[in-house]
Amino acid sequence: MDKVKQVIVMRKDLNLSKGQMVAQGAHASIAFLTNLVREYTDDIIPFNQREEQWIKGTFYKVCLAVNSEEELLYIGSEAHNRGLKVHYIQENDLFKESTYTCLSIGPDYSSNIDPVTKHLKLL
């Protein structure tokens, strides 16, 4: 069965604490929704079929790891090039300069996301 899921890709090289990683991942997970709320100021947000399935379903998420900003940006670019929604999270307070910490892909069907992320290890 082709599950609808969201993938969170987190940088391991930043040596964030577990709490910081959870916070950054939570920002990434909700980013698709907050961006839609900002974009559509009417009462009705036009979710696509995959997003609606995910919201009304199990909120299936997978957290994966990369080892560098370059790898994070590459994964995001590959996902975007395949037509997937990608949301990057930049942290402005933990580092001397704004730093990409993680990204989210989807929600979308596993068959669309897996070709981009299947080689990554679980966080």
Side-chain angles (χ1 to χ4, degrees), residues 35-49:
N35 288 347
L36 282 172
V37 168
R38 288 180 188 131
E39 184 178 346
Y40 295 95
T41 56
D42 296 334
D43 292 336
I44 298 174
I45 297 173
F47 295 113
N48 67 38
Q49 179 183 2

Side-chain angles (χ1 to χ4, degrees), residues 17-19 49 66 69 82 85 89-90 93 123:
S17 71
K18 289 179 183 177
Q49 179 183 2
V66 294
E69 180 178 288
R82 291 176 175 264
K85 290 187 177 182
I89 301 304
Q90 284 184 282
D93 295 329
L123 184 62

Side-chain angles (χ1 to χ4, degrees), residues 10-13 65-73 100:
M10 180 76 59
R11 287 179 58 187
K12 288 187 351 181
D13 63 307
V66 294
N67 294 309
S68 68
E69 180 178 288
E70 293 76 21
E71 192 176 3
L72 182 78
L73 296 176
Y100 288 104

